[in-house]
Amino acid sequence: DLGSGFGVNAHVGFQKLKGSAKVTEIGKTAIENDIIDWKIGFTYGFSNGFVAAVSYIDTNRSLAGVTRNISNGTGVVSLSKTF
């Protein structure tokens, strides 16, 4: 809590792939068996109970889906209310 309704949140995650589960990054030939992801975000709580949030989420890998890179960093904006 930063005060005045503002907040900050963060996350770092590590996933070790088991068994035959492996990934190959776009443009590379090395086979990898782990992925690290992270998030940094900010929130603002309104007096009516709504919370607005903005965050940036990314990973250390460039992974290909069927038609595009599925692991690019991205921004997320949300508005929520608990009731």
Side-chain angles (χ1 to χ4, degrees):
D1 185 12
L2 301 174
S4 300
F6 290 93
V8 64
N9 55 51
H11 157 87
V12 175
F14 175 81
Q15 180 180 6
K16 181 82 168 173
L17 303 173
K18 294 182 178 181
S20 62
K22 307 287 185 231
V23 296
T24 303
E25 288 190 71
I26 296 170
K28 297 184 180 180
T29 57
I31 296 173
E32 305 291 346
N33 64 353
D34 60 64
I35 300 171
I36 298 172
D37 64 89
W38 57 88
K39 169 187 169 180
I40 183 75
F42 298 94
T43 61
Y44 179 75
F46 296 94
S47 61
N48 62 2
F50 282 91
V51 177
V54 60
S55 59
Y56 177 76
I57 305 164
D58 205 352
T59 179
N60 69 324
R61 303 282 182 221
S62 293
L63 305 175
V66 175
T67 60
R68 62 186 174 90
N69 183 334
I70 61 170
S71 61
N72 282 338
T74 190
V76 177
V77 176
S78 65
L79 182 64
S80 61
K81 179 170 173 73
T82 302
F83 52 94

